[in-house]
Amino acid sequence: MRRMMMKYRTLGNTELEVSILSFGASSLGSVFGEIDESEGIRTVYEAIDLGINFIDVSPYYGLTKAETVLGKAIKNIPRDKFILSTKAGRYGENDFDFSSKRIIKSVDESLTRLQTDYIDILHLHDIEFVSLDQIIHESIPTLLELKKAGKIRFIGISGLPLKIFKVVSEQVPLDTILSYCHYTLNNTGLLTIEEEMRNKGIGIINASPLSMGLLTKKGPPDWHPASDEIKRVCRQAVQFCEEQGVAIEKLAVQFAVANDRIPTTLVGTANPKHIARNVAWIEEPIDMELVNQVREILKPIDQKIWLSGRKENN
């Protein structure tokens, strides 16, 4: 029995009704530290039980481990209970292949690992690392063929630079985009393209509301690509929230899901208690006075981001 009332929004022109908080399955691949597989599977069950119906994964996460663990979980869940998104094109830290042949093979491999007959949304993963000409003229046409074949229902692209979404969507049809670190307390750059995407019927999926650890008490991992200035200002905001007796993680998740122009926000965890806590947070009213104070601290770095991929794609 569902314990809380989840809200849902329509994802662009797909007619998919997605939960405003969705499940990022990267953690199932031990991306953020070793996990207990059975606990990871329980986390998926908990997410579904709490009304989360959108799950995102990739063969890149844990070098196929995340898809494998997720497949073990969802094989026991009725297929109409969740919307499944995975990716193609990125397979390792520096392993990119967006060729038609590899995408077709990748989708078949993902279907096997995920133990399902179809993928609801297939995103090309981190396209800023390759030529966008290939994405436009080879990769997207391949996805359209897979769509006709019934292996995938909708197609999209993912990556960090906002420029890639504008360039690609101007030349080929897209159903969705997956953007990360661009609708957070410290960076609302996603809003600069939101209207354009909406007018094209493209559904926006927001990821990493904690800015890959910048907006956490623990702080970002050593490998985080943000500048020293971004890290310093985010730390000031974290400390301010601590002084107010509020976890910045809570405020960040609440802020991300509050905007009805952003259909869904992905959060990743392999801990059932953490997913339940995240859902509980979004049930509580957001303290807008505190949000405004935190946003004022973060104002010097709003829309500041780091380079990712090829220079011309940023």
Side-chain angles (χ1 to χ4, degrees):
M1 182 176 177
R2 189 172 297 170
R3 286 164 272 175
M4 300 177 188
M5 286 300 294
M6 179 64 69
K7 293 179 183 176
Y8 301 86
R9 297 184 183 128
T10 307
L11 187 60
N13 286 350
T14 67
E15 298 185 359
L16 296 173
E17 294 292 320
V18 292
S19 49
I20 61 172
L21 192 71
S22 44
F23 184 75
S26 59
S27 296
L28 300 182
S30 298
V31 172
F32 302 104
E34 279 302 316
I35 66 148
D36 177 89
E37 186 174 297
S38 60
E39 187 173 74
I41 291 170
R42 286 200 307 275
T43 307
V44 178
Y45 296 156
E46 181 76 354
I48 298 291
D49 186 45
L50 292 170
I52 290 174
N53 73 345
F54 180 60
I55 304 172
D56 175 75
V57 71
S58 168
Y60 171 51
Y61 302 148
L63 305 179
T64 73
K65 181 181 177 181
E67 281 192 334
T68 301
V69 175
L70 180 60
K72 292 177 182 179
I74 62 177
K75 72 176 182 180
N76 299 315
I77 303 171
R79 190 60 180 84
D80 62 354
K81 292 289 185 186
F82 61 91
I83 297 161
L84 179 62
S85 165
T86 193
K87 306 182 183 76
R90 183 171 198 176
Y91 307 101
E93 188 62 30
N94 297 297
D95 181 7
F96 298 90
D97 189 344
F98 292 91
S99 67
S100 180
K101 183 180 179 180
R102 185 66 183 98
I103 289 171
I104 292 168
K105 184 170 183 276
S106 181
V107 168
D108 285 339
E109 290 168 349
S110 289
L111 288 169
T112 299
R113 283 190 292 266
L114 291 164
Q115 302 188 51
T116 190
D117 297 327
Y118 67 93
I119 293 158
D120 292 289
I121 306 173
L122 196 287
H123 290 104
L124 297 174
H125 198 174
D126 292 343
I127 64 170
E128 69 267 28
F129 286 88
V130 299
S131 164
L132 294 187
D133 283 343
Q134 182 188 23
I135 299 298
I136 291 163
H137 299 295
E138 181 179 3
S139 310
I140 295 292
T142 302
L143 295 196
L144 292 172
E145 289 300 315
L146 288 166
K147 194 173 178 179
K148 282 182 188 174
K151 291 187 178 182
I152 59 180
R153 295 175 64 200
F154 302 103
I155 68 170
I157 56 175
S158 78
L160 183 72
L162 295 176
K163 178 182 176 181
I164 62 174
F165 302 120
K166 293 172 68 71
V167 171
V168 175
S169 67
E170 284 168 2
Q171 299 189 58
V172 287
L174 296 174
D175 298 309
T176 56
I177 63 167
L178 196 162
S179 169
Y180 68 98
C181 292
H182 272 107
Y183 192 73
T184 65
L185 288 167
N186 63 295
N187 190 319
T188 55
L190 191 54
L191 296 182
T192 64
I193 66 166
E194 183 276 329
E195 185 176 8
E196 181 180 344
M197 296 299 113
R198 179 160 38 90
N199 289 340
K200 292 175 178 174
I202 297 171
I204 293 175
I205 299 161
N206 176 43
S208 201
L210 306 183
S211 287
M212 301 196 308
L214 287 170
L215 301 177
T216 63
K217 186 175 181 179
K218 183 180 178 182
D222 293 340
W223 52 260
H224 201 293
S227 67
D228 289 342
E229 180 197 16
I230 292 174
K231 290 176 181 177
R232 176 178 53 79
V233 176
C234 284
R235 186 62 201 158
Q236 290 173 358
V238 172
Q239 289 171 340
F240 177 77
C241 284
E242 284 182 19
E243 290 163 7
Q244 311 310 308
V246 177
I248 197 167
E249 295 92 339
K250 174 182 177 179
L251 201 67
V253 171
Q254 289 180 322
F255 176 78
V257 303
N259 191 334
D260 59 12
R261 291 186 288 166
I262 310 293
T264 190
T265 294
L266 287 161
V267 293
T269 179
N271 185 311
K273 291 180 181 177
H274 290 173
I275 201 74
R277 180 194 63 190
N278 288 332
V279 173
W281 281 346
I282 68 170
E283 295 287 322
E284 297 177 27
I286 188 169
D287 184 342
M288 284 310 300
E289 183 180 351
L290 182 57
V291 166
N292 291 335
Q293 290 173 314
V294 171
R295 295 270 296 136
E296 189 62 32
I297 293 169
L298 294 166
K299 195 172 183 179
I301 60 168
D302 189 36
Q303 297 192 32
K304 288 191 177 182
I305 201 75
W306 46 92
L307 290 177
S308 177
R310 295 188 177 188
K311 188 179 288 186
E312 68 267 24
N313 292 336
N314 282 262

